[in-house]
Amino acid sequence: MAVASTSPLSAKPATAPSPPAPGSGLLALGVRRAPATAAWRRLRVEAIRTQRTEVPVEESAPARDAAAAAPLDGNGAGADGSVVPSSDDSWVVKLEQSFNIFATDSVIMVLKGVYGDRYYARFFALETIARVPYFAFISVLHLYATFGWWRRADYIKVHFAQSWNEFHHLLIMEELGGDSLWFDCFLARFMAFFYYFMTVAMYMLSPRMAYHFSECVERHAYSTYDEFLKLHEEELKRLPAPEAALNYYMNEDLYLFDEFQASRTPGSRRPKIDNLYDVFVNIREDEAEHCKTMKTCQTHGNLRSPHSTPNCLEDDTECVIPENDCEGIVDCVKKSLTK
C-alpha cells in the first residue's frame, strides 16, 4: 500500500497518494505545467542567464548609507540580536517601539501555534500579511496628495514596488500549495483585513511607528526563511523552481525589482535561480532589503527612489522638507506645542 508523504515541507493534506516530485520523494510542488510552456520557459530563462554577466554589488550612495539599517545577522536582527532602536530616545518613540515589538511577537506566537511545521501554509499567511502595509501606506499617501497636504512621489513609487515584490512571493507560495486548505486562506485573509485598517490608522497617527512595525515584521520574515533554508537546504536544492519565481526573478525587466531596494544601486543585485533553494534564498534577501527600506523610512523625508536623480537642487520641493511639515498626527501635535 502506498503511503502519503509525511515531510514537514508538504503543503497539501495527505488525502490520497500522489506521484513523487522529480528529484525528490519528500516534497510535491503541486505545479501543473504544460510541456510546451515549460520548454519555452526553460529556453527563455537560459537565454536570460547567458545574457547576464556577474554584476558586482555596489555600495549605496553616501546619503543612503547613513539611513540604512544595521546589518542583519542570521536571525534577521541587529548585531546584538535585537531590533535596532531609533536614534531618538524620547519616551514616545520608546512607547511606539515597545508596542510594535509586543504586537509582532504576539502574532508570531499565533502563526507558530496554528501552522507548526506546515511551512508553505505558514509562508502563505506571512506573505498575505506582509504586503498589506505597503498598500496601506499608498492609500494614506494618495489621500494626502488628494488634499494637497503632502506630495512625495518617491514614497508611493517605492512602496508600490515593495507591494509588487511581496505579491510575487505570495504567488510562489500559492504555486507551492500553501493555500490548499480553506482554513489557512481564511485565517490569513482575516488577519490581513484587520491589519490593513490598523496600519492605515497607525500611519496617519505616526508614520515612524508604522514603518518600525513593518521593520519588525520584515525582520521576522527574514529570520523565518533563513531558518527554513538551514533546515532543508539539501532537499530544496533537488527541487525545481516554481513558474512564478522564474517569471519574476528571471524577467528581462527588473525595474520594479530594483525600485524597492532603496539602499542599493539599481542593477547591483541580479538573482540566480537554478532550483527551489535559490528561490527561497532570493525571497530571504528580499525581506532583508524591505527591512532596510523600512528603517530608512523612519527618518522623515529620507526615502529616495533608487532611480531618482542623486543630486537635488536647493529649490527642489521633492528634496527639501518644509520646517512646518508634519509626519503624522503625533508629530503635528508635538510641533504645535513646542512652537
Side-chain angles (χ1 to χ4, degrees):
M1 178 182 295
V3 180
S5 171
T6 58
S7 169
L9 296 186
S10 181
K12 297 186 177 182
T15 55
S18 58
S24 173
L26 296 179
L27 176 61
L29 294 182
V31 180
R32 299 291 182 266
R33 300 180 186 174
T37 303
W40 177 84
R41 166 58 57 186
R42 284 194 296 270
L43 290 174
R44 184 164 174 259
V45 169
E46 288 300 325
I48 295 174
R49 284 200 185 107
T50 56
Q51 291 174 3
R52 288 184 182 175
T53 57
E54 189 67 23
V55 181
V57 177
E58 303 175 17
E59 294 296 328
S60 305
R64 293 176 187 143
D65 280 340
L72 300 178
D73 64 7
N75 295 320
D80 60 352
S82 61
V83 175
V84 181
S86 170
S87 58
D88 188 348
D89 292 328
S90 69
W91 67 271
V92 176
V93 175
K94 291 181 179 180
L95 180 63
E96 291 175 353
Q97 295 190 356
S98 297
F99 172 82
N100 289 342
I101 294 172
F102 172 77
T104 305
D105 290 343
S106 300
V107 173
I108 291 172
M109 289 180 60
V110 172
L111 292 177
K112 286 184 176 180
V114 172
Y115 296 105
D117 290 336
R118 295 190 301 121
Y119 290 103
Y120 292 161
R122 181 180 173 187
F123 295 159
F124 169 80
L126 188 62
E127 296 300 343
T128 300
I129 295 170
R131 67 186 185 134
V132 167
Y134 308 119
F135 175 49
F137 299 158
I138 293 173
S139 299
V140 176
L141 290 172
H142 269 290
L143 176 65
Y144 290 167
T146 301
F147 291 155
W149 293 344
W150 195 46
R151 292 175 178 171
R152 294 198 178 275
D154 281 7
Y155 278 72
I156 295 178
K157 191 178 177 184
V158 172
H159 291 331
F160 175 78
Q162 290 181 294
S163 176
W164 188 249
N165 175 260
E166 298 287 12
F167 169 66
H168 283 85
H169 290 179
L170 181 62
L171 292 180
I172 292 170
M173 300 312 159
E174 289 178 347
E175 190 171 342
L176 292 174
D179 62 341
S180 298
L181 296 180
W182 177 88
F183 175 77
D184 293 337
C185 295
F186 172 79
L187 180 61
R189 291 162 184 168
F190 179 83
M191 295 175 67
F193 177 79
F194 287 98
Y195 184 31
Y196 169 77
F197 290 102
M198 185 195 80
T199 305
V200 167
M202 185 184 294
Y203 194 63
M204 296 182 72
L205 184 69
S206 173
R208 178 187 57 231
M209 181 180 183
Y211 284 134
H212 179 262
F213 191 91
S214 291
E215 180 191 353
C216 294
V217 173
E218 298 296 354
R219 285 183 183 274
H220 166 66
Y222 178 95
S223 175
T224 300
Y225 288 121
D226 187 65
E227 178 184 4
F228 176 70
L229 285 166
K230 291 176 180 177
L231 290 175
H232 302 284
E233 178 177 355
E234 294 304 320
E235 184 176 358
L236 292 171
K237 286 183 176 179
R238 295 194 299 267
L239 297 170
E243 192 79 10
L246 295 175
N247 287 336
Y248 179 63
Y249 288 113
M250 302 305 294
N251 198 299
E252 296 95 332
D253 183 5
L254 291 178
Y255 181 90
L256 288 176
F257 178 77
D258 291 330
E259 183 64 28
F260 83 89
Q261 304 178 74
S263 64
R264 284 182 177 270
T265 303
S268 63
R269 178 186 167 210
R270 285 296 175 261
K272 177 183 75 73
I273 302 292
D274 290 327
N275 47 50
L276 190 56
Y277 179 82
D278 291 339
V279 173
F280 277 101
V281 166
N282 279 286
I283 292 176
R284 181 193 64 184
E285 297 309 307
D286 289 348
E287 305 300 353
E289 294 300 329
H290 285 302
C291 189
K292 294 175 185 177
T293 301
M294 291 296 94
K295 182 68 177 177
T296 300
C297 289
Q298 291 172 50
T299 301
H300 183 45
N302 206 38
L303 180 65
R304 297 287 295 167
S305 164
H307 295 95
S308 297
T309 304
N311 298 321
C312 296
L313 301 177
E314 292 184 359
D315 58 347
D316 189 348
T317 57
E318 285 291 319
C319 300
V320 180
I321 303 175
E323 292 183 1
N324 61 347
D325 189 30
C326 299
E327 58 174 316
I329 296 176
V330 171
D331 188 53
C332 288
V333 172
K334 180 180 177 181
K335 287 182 177 179
S336 64
L337 294 176
T338 55
K339 282 184 179 180

